[in-house]
């Protein structure tokens, strides 16, 4: 049976506006596994979020769990060549990306007025006017509450941007001149890194985070390299 990846709809020409959905699809392509995409407007998986994978009757939620389970089942450990210290570094960077940089992306798409105007247009334009007027602000209030609960959303805009710049600087410094984050071959970390850096720099929602990534030529080249490797011709 083919793996079925359930993820949000995305604008034509871009893998996915959800960095977690894009992370899983990038990993599937790096692993060389056959899959098909099932688009959902609203998540209905066991955790109430997307992505979700259905594989041979099993439903797997959460991008980290999806990758772990599929890697074990199909013998696709992209990190097999890493030693213990390299695995530790990769795990730390993945947490930086998924648990901190993500919230900055959320802020500049959903709370910052310039990003919200674009997000609202891209995500909700196809809805009938009554739904669009109701769902957009409701979703935005939910995101604002999540950001405050996390803590990053309690800081002013300039501080959130400064902390995001620190995260991106760390990623640029670690990547250096290597083609991929852990060396000559892509690993699991690259699925996360591209899912997020690509969404910061190349996705069709332009926020101040794009300029932060653009200030690092090695990260810009990395995004183009990953896009060409996983999704076709370079952007």
């Amino acid at each position: 049976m083919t793996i079925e990846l359930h993820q949000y709809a995305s604008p034509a020409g871009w893998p996915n506006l959800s960095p977690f959905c894009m992370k899983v699809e990038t990993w599937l392509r790096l692993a060389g596994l056959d899959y098909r995409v099932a688009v959902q407007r609203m998540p209905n998986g066991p955790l109430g979020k997307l992505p979700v994978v259905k594989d041979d009757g099993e439903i797997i939620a959460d991008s980290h769990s999806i990758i772990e389970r599929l890697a074990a089942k199909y013998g696709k450990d992209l990190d097999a060549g890493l030693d213990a210290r390299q695995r530790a570094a990769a795990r730390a960077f993945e947490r930086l990306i998924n648990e901190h940089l993500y919230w900055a992306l959320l802020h500049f798409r959903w709370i910052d007025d310039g990003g919200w105007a674009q997000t609202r247009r891209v995500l909700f334009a196809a809805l009938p006017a009554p739904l669009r007027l109701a769902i957009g602000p409701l979703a935005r209030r939910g995101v604002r509450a999540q950001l405050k609960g996390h803590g990053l959303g309690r800081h002013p805009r300039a501080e959130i941007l400064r902390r995001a710049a620190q995260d991106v600087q760390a990623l640029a410094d670690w990547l250096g001149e290597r083609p991929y984050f852990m060396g000559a071959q892509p690993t699991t970390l690259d699925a996360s890194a591209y899912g997020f850096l690509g969404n910061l720099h190349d996705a069709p929602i332009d926020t101040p985070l794009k300029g932060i990534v653009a200030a690092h030529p090695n990260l810009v080249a990395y995004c183009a390299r990953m896009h060409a490797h996983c999704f076709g011709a370079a952007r």
Side-chain angles (χ1 to χ4, degrees):
M1 294 180 65
T2 300
I3 295 165
E4 194 173 84
L5 171 60
H6 290 245
Q7 60 183 13
Y8 298 104
S10 196
W14 184 244
N16 210 274
L17 287 172
S18 162
F20 292 106
C21 290
M22 189 165 154
K23 166 187 170 181
V24 171
E25 187 166 14
T26 300
W27 183 86
L28 286 166
R29 294 192 176 212
L30 290 173
L33 292 175
D34 291 331
Y35 69 97
R36 74 177 190 90
V37 169
V39 172
Q40 291 183 208
R41 282 199 174 274
M42 297 295 291
N44 60 3
L47 298 181
K49 294 183 177 183
L50 294 177
V52 166
V53 155
K54 292 184 179 179
D55 177 44
D56 202 19
E58 181 182 16
I59 297 175
I60 315 168
D62 180 77
S63 63
H64 183 77
S65 298
I66 289 167
I67 289 171
E68 277 195 334
R69 299 276 281 278
L70 294 182
K73 179 176 178 178
Y74 292 103
K76 298 290 185 178
D77 183 4
L78 301 184
D79 304 332
L82 303 182
D83 62 25
R85 287 179 62 83
Q86 290 172 317
R87 286 176 180 264
R91 178 61 55 84
F93 273 109
E94 186 165 358
R95 293 291 189 261
L96 176 149
I97 293 165
N98 293 332
E99 307 296 341
H100 192 267
L101 187 56
Y102 165 68
W103 294 98
L105 173 62
L106 215 59
H107 173 86
F108 282 101
R109 281 187 178 177
W110 287 83
I111 307 305
D112 197 57
D113 287 337
W116 168 241
Q118 298 172 69
T119 298
R120 180 175 54 192
R121 183 174 62 252
V122 170
L123 295 186
F124 303 113
L127 293 177
L131 279 177
R132 184 169 66 249
L133 292 174
I135 291 178
L138 183 64
R140 193 185 192 197
R141 284 197 296 271
V143 170
R144 192 186 300 274
Q146 291 176 48
L147 277 157
K148 286 188 175 181
H150 175 270
L152 191 65
R154 298 174 185 269
H155 292 282
R157 179 184 190 275
E159 178 62 13
I160 296 172
L161 194 61
R162 187 184 75 86
R163 295 190 182 196
Q166 290 177 328
D167 291 347
V168 172
Q169 181 70 59
L171 290 166
D173 290 343
W174 180 263
L175 178 65
E177 299 304 315
R178 292 178 293 192
Y180 302 105
F181 271 91
M182 300 309 296
Q185 300 297 324
T187 63
T188 304
L189 174 58
D190 290 290
S192 283
Y194 181 55
F196 281 80
L197 290 172
N199 263 292
L200 266 58
H201 187 262
D202 294 324
I205 297 178
D206 188 358
T207 76
L209 299 174
K210 178 173 182 174
I212 287 175
V213 176
H216 301 282
N218 66 333
L219 294 181
V220 175
Y222 170 81
C223 287
R225 185 162 50 250
M226 282 293 294
H227 189 88
H229 185 72
C230 294
F231 294 97
R235 294 179 60 82

